[in-house]
Amino acid sequence: MEPTALDFFEQALQTPSPSGYEEPLQRLVRRYIEPHADATSIDVHGNLIATLCPADQPATSSKSTGDSDSSRGPRLMYAGHCDQIGMLVSHIDDDGFVYGQTIGGWDPQQLIGQAMTIWTQAGPVSAVISRKAIHLLTPEERKQVVQLNQMWLDVGAVKGRPGDDDSMIDGDTVRNAIRIGDPVTLELGMRRLLGDQVTGPGMDNKTGMWTVIDALRRVAADRDGLNCELNSVSTVQEEIGLRGAKTAAGHINPDVAIAVDVTHATDCPGIDKNTQGDVRVGGGPVIFRGPNINAKVAQRLIDLCQSNDLPYQLAALGRAAPNDSNVLQIHGGGVATGLVGVPNRYMHSAVEVVSLSDIDHVAELLKCFALALEPDDDFIPG
């Protein structure tokens, strides 16, 4: 992986992007990819679209690519959502303790004792989220699974000494610093484990976003071989209903699309491979097959891995995918859609684990797919 690409990945993991609050990350993405794209734009929903056309048919506008000239070849869309799960400030009590609701699918047990950040208009505010110490729990409380309403965010609330208002950090003090509706994330960052594995929150799905964006950078370096219009999209609001991919597809009207998202690695204790499949961190891109997937797109991805000596894994999906490929497949009159997964341990937690070689191989596979796509390719089943 090139140092600049790795640096971009690390910066992305340090940048907040809860669903609906992706602007800081999209600014970072745009700065990274703009020098390599013919056009970049951010639509009203917040999706960032980077477009690259064949060398003899450069894009002339950063506006909608949906009406682009057919001489640019088929429209190819890559989608990797940049939003992450998080929280939203919903109440600040008179003692200065902050309460929140979740954005996306949380296991409340993952939040106990976590370092958090509240992202305010004036800047980040550090917080911790917890519950009563175990010593103070009743025997009955110790047996119960903790609920979100039994936890709170502590930003340093202090009742103060009698008559000493200067030492008090109460509800009014906190409300002056934090507003209802401010987003909250786990403490962001990336830590290195052994080998090429890294851990941190937001791997879902800043890994997928990184692959589709860096794929365009790689294609731009080999642009003479491009015979399609490539649109790499950092989509928004996937975690609350695949919303960004749906509107981005309406903007682009792709002929072919590939979504990249994390998928559950099953190479850790307690997971039944008989039901969940055999997916390994470091084993390469996961190519999905099933009814949500165009069979010819999936086979093309497999063939490209084999011909370019890229490792890959197969996974079965017998239902509509719970990710961007779902809405891409059924956009308009239908889109030939593929799904590539990044193996991820401990999804939707503070310690998601992925392999840097896996995301590098996914980006390379996407580059190969774009450069292999020809105007006369037929993805109609049969």
Side-chain angles (χ1 to χ4, degrees), residues 63-356:
K63 300 294 185 182
S64 172
T65 58
D67 58 356
S68 57
D69 195 313
S70 61
S71 63
R72 293 177 184 168
R75 293 192 194 99
L76 172 60
M77 176 178 169
Y78 289 155
H81 76 87
C82 73
D83 59 307
Q84 62 186 113
I85 62 173
M87 296 182 69
L88 204 61
V89 173
S90 58
H91 177 65
I92 301 168
D93 71 17
D94 290 338
D95 290 327
F97 292 102
V98 180
Y99 294 81
Q101 56 185 266
T102 55
I103 300 175
W106 276 103
D107 173 3
Q109 314 310 304
Q110 295 283 354
L111 290 168
I112 300 174
Q114 293 289 351
M116 310 292 287
T117 304
I118 302 173
W119 301 93
T120 76
Q121 190 171 18
V125 174
S126 296
V128 295
I129 188 168
S130 198
R131 62 181 303 198
K132 290 189 297 185
I134 190 170
H135 317 71
L136 305 178
L137 296 176
T138 66
E140 190 61 33
E141 286 175 326
R142 294 187 188 194
K143 299 175 186 178
Q144 297 172 352
V145 175
V146 67
Q147 302 298 312
L148 185 66
N149 61 8
Q150 296 171 313
M151 293 182 282
W152 53 85
L153 291 154
D154 189 339
V155 297
V158 177
K159 285 185 176 297
R161 296 181 297 273
D164 184 5
D165 291 341
D166 291 338
S167 66
M168 184 177 295
I169 302 176
D170 61 3
D172 290 337
T173 307
V174 175
R175 292 182 197 109
N176 286 333
I178 299 168
R179 293 194 301 167
I180 303 300
D182 281 342
V184 185
T185 66
L186 294 159
E187 187 173 48
L188 301 179
M190 185 185 87
R191 298 176 65 201
R192 290 184 176 272
L193 303 178
L194 293 177
D196 76 341
Q197 296 186 49
V198 294
T199 182
M203 298 295 180
D204 179 9
N205 183 41
K206 294 175 185 181
T207 53
M209 177 278 293
W210 181 90
T211 66
V212 305
I213 295 299
D214 204 60
L216 187 141
R217 179 190 66 81
R218 299 177 191 210
V219 173
D222 197 8
R223 184 182 179 135
D224 288 343
L226 183 65
N227 293 302
C228 69
E229 178 186 295
L230 172 58
N231 297 276
S232 285
V233 188
S234 175
T235 63
V236 297
Q237 298 188 31
E238 188 270 356
E239 296 289 359
I240 59 168
L242 321 179
R243 300 164 68 84
K246 185 174 183 179
T247 57
H251 185 85
I252 295 166
N253 289 318
D255 302 297
V256 186
I258 296 175
V260 182
D261 208 333
V262 292
T263 189
H264 295 290
T266 61
D267 58 348
C268 57
I271 301 178
D272 181 8
K273 293 182 175 61
N274 292 332
T275 57
Q276 301 299 323
D278 187 3
V279 175
R280 293 167 290 113
V281 171
V286 180
I287 299 172
F288 280 84
R289 301 182 68 213
N292 198 160
I293 310 304
N294 180 280
K296 291 185 177 181
V297 171
Q299 189 59 50
R300 174 75 62 89
L301 290 167
I302 293 168
D303 292 343
L304 287 169
C305 284
Q306 293 174 343
S307 61
N308 289 277
D309 197 26
L310 294 172
Y312 71 95
Q313 308 175 75
L314 293 178
L317 182 64
R319 57 188 172 87
N323 55 44
D324 284 346
S325 65
N326 184 322
V327 294
L328 292 175
Q329 183 195 36
I330 57 176
H331 166 73
V335 178
T337 299
L339 173 60
V340 177
V342 175
N344 181 11
R345 294 187 194 136
Y346 324 125
M347 198 182 299
H348 283 202
S349 79
V351 293
E352 294 179 298
V353 173
V354 301
S355 160
L356 292 176

